[in-house]
Amino acid sequence: MDLIRKLLPIAALFLSLTAHAQQKFITVASTTSTEQSGLFKHLLPAYEKKSGVQVRVVALGTGQALDMARRGDADVVFVHAKSAEEKFIAEGYGVKRLPVMYNDFVLVGPKSDPAKVAGGKDIVEALRKVKGATAPFVSRGDRSGTHMAELALWKTAGIDIAADKGPW
């Protein structure tokens, strides 16, 4: 029941879009993680039945989803990079930002733990240790919400990843 109460603003947003829709469908540009969470499979059948409007979900990375909406090819976006979302709204492409879900991020490494970060609870300190040890680090590098969060963490750690990257 608590989940339903939290999701009511989303349903209201979909319904308000329906009132203005010329066509009988809306397009949602969503992160793959939101699409894969099962949220849409749970919500959309009821919405479509009540509204008579079909919802087409296109699963992309955050950057691609926002670009799709900037071009006018999406009516709603579900993404997970708060600063990019706020910029999107400030630029006049969106109407309102609503928090719906959140992700947990974990740093995973080899059993040998070359940066000596195992068991730590401070991701910023862990990233500093990774750089200090020049331990191998693999980034998604794909403009996804996950990648944007990673870049923000490097910045918080005081590391200019573009300038400091190397063979590690």
Side-chain angles (χ1 to χ4, degrees):
M1 191 62 153
D2 192 39
L3 176 64
I4 292 171
R5 254 188 257 126
K6 288 180 181 177
L7 296 176
L8 282 176
I10 297 164
L13 178 61
F14 278 126
L15 289 173
S16 69
L17 284 170
T18 302
H20 301 295
Q22 300 278 332
Q23 63 260 36
K24 287 292 187 180
F25 71 90
I26 60 172
T27 301
V28 174
S30 169
T31 62
T32 53
S33 55
T34 304
E35 195 275 329
Q36 292 171 356
S37 74
L39 178 68
F40 296 131
K41 288 179 184 171
H42 179 75
L43 290 179
L44 295 184
Y47 169 77
E48 289 175 344
K49 183 178 178 181
K50 182 171 181 159
S51 69
V53 175
Q54 179 187 9
V55 179
R56 299 175 182 172
V57 177
V58 180
L60 307 158
T62 292
Q64 293 171 311
L66 292 172
D67 288 345
M68 183 178 174
R70 281 185 181 97
R71 290 189 308 270
D73 295 330
D75 303 295
V76 176
V77 291
F78 273 78
V79 294
H80 58 141
K82 187 177 180 180
S83 62
E85 297 162 29
E86 289 171 341
K87 180 179 180 204
F88 178 83
I89 297 292
E91 292 170 342
Y93 292 105
V95 177
K96 187 172 184 177
R97 180 188 178 276
L98 297 169
V100 177
M101 301 176 358
Y102 65 92
N103 289 6
D104 288 320
F105 297 92
V106 295
L107 180 63
V108 178
K111 192 173 189 171
S112 62
D113 192 17
K116 308 294 183 235
V117 297
K121 298 195 185 313
D122 184 343
I123 187 65
V124 171
E125 183 57 30
L127 291 175
R128 288 181 185 131
K129 287 181 178 181
V130 166
K131 184 191 181 286
T134 62
F137 185 88
V138 178
S139 172
R140 287 178 60 149
D142 63 358
R143 292 186 57 223
S144 66
T146 302
H147 181 232
M148 290 180 199
E150 174 209 323
L151 293 175
L153 290 168
W154 283 113
K155 186 175 182 177
T156 300
I159 299 166
D160 179 348
I161 199 67
D164 293 339
K165 70 180 176 183
W168 57 280

